[in-house]
Amino acid sequence: MLQVKQWCNDLIGLLFPNLCNACGVALYHSEYLICTKCLYNLPFTDYHEYADNRVARQFWGRLPINAAMAMLYFRKGTKVQNLIHNLKYNGRTDVGILLGNMLGERLRTATLYQDIDLVIPVPLHRKKYKMRGYNQSMFIAEGIAAQMGTGISGNHLIRNTSTESQTKKSRYNRYENMKDVFQVEFQEDIMGKHVLLVDDVITTGATLEACADALFAAEAGKVSIASLAFAE
């Protein structure tokens, strides 16, 4: 009976191969979503350990952010891009949870992130949410919250306006494009709390800056930022 089950599993694996979401090679039975080689070679930062890091500096002098970090370096054509592409566009929300777990493990031991009250993902506009079917940052946030034992919400920070693409805009134009896009609901739940904002990739930080603006306007006590990756 066990042999028949193994044959069935092998047949399923042949017809529907379980592939690494980073490099596309077949996974071994003991591997999950990302192969061991890719996990070992992911370009991790150590930004969670230092207040003075390249992500945090993007917000200095602009907002009183408590802390900011990204777990990985992002470059085009790399395995990190493949992982995030599969998460955002191929429905691999399980990749978001896995990477969120890895990120949460780091934040759990980081001094600046010890008193997080609520994890909030950067929201999508309802039109984009309807097209994609999910908010990729919510699954990252779920993984983080599970590791840190904190609350999580997709209802407190709302995106009111569908903005045009940020890709070719300068930092100033990106921020202008995002002004007044976000608002906070149920302000009483935010007041005085330490909120962790979560996104998939940080480039200029303009979107996160606009989100943080809305949270500070709602009298959040502290705002910190965590992202899967940082585009150098």
Side-chain angles (χ1 to χ4, degrees), residues 55 59 69-72 84 87-88 96 99-100 103 119-124 132 135-141 144 159 166 174 178 182 196-209 211 224-230:
V55 171
F59 302 97
M69 60 79 69
M71 183 172 69
L72 301 165
I84 293 174
L87 165 60
K88 291 180 70 171
L99 293 174
L103 179 49
V119 180
I120 295 181
V122 171
L124 295 179
R132 187 172 297 168
N135 178 1
Q136 72 278 359
S137 295
M138 173 57 82
F139 292 92
I140 302 166
I144 293 172
R159 188 172 192 144
Q166 300 271 74
R174 286 183 184 217
M178 300 305 298
F182 302 98
L196 179 65
L197 266 175
V198 174
D199 206 359
D200 52 2
V201 180
I202 295 176
T203 49
T204 66
T207 299
L208 286 160
E209 188 174 339
C211 289
S224 295
I225 287 169
S227 176
L228 285 186
F230 169 58

Side-chain angles (χ1 to χ4, degrees), residues 155-156 184-191:
N155 300 318
H156 285 81
V184 170
E185 301 284 343
F186 315 109
Q187 180 179 352
E188 64 275 9
D189 296 336
I190 298 297
M191 294 174 64

Side-chain angles (χ1 to χ4, degrees), residues 17-56:
N18 194 12
L19 305 179
C20 173
N21 282 271
C23 69
V25 304
L27 295 174
Y28 290 107
H29 292 300
S30 60
E31 295 175 332
Y32 177 65
L33 297 178
I34 306 172
C35 72
T36 303
K37 182 178 179 181
C38 285
L39 277 174
Y40 182 79
N41 289 298
L42 285 176
F44 290 102
T45 73
D46 57 359
Y47 290 172
H48 62 290
E49 297 179 354
Y50 304 101
D52 178 4
N53 64 66
R54 291 175 63 187
V55 171

Side-chain angles (χ1 to χ4, degrees), residues 116-128:
I116 299 293
D117 296 302
L118 189 63
V119 180
I120 295 181
V122 171
L124 295 179
H125 187 264
R126 60 183 177 275
K127 289 182 180 178
K128 183 170 284 188

Side-chain angles (χ1 to χ4, degrees), residues 98-118:
L98 174 64
L99 293 174
N101 279 325
M102 293 165 60
L103 179 49
E105 288 175 355
R106 286 160 173 78
L107 297 182
R108 190 176 60 203
T109 60
T111 303
L112 291 170
Y113 299 87
Q114 288 301 298
D115 59 345
I116 299 293
D117 296 302
L118 189 63

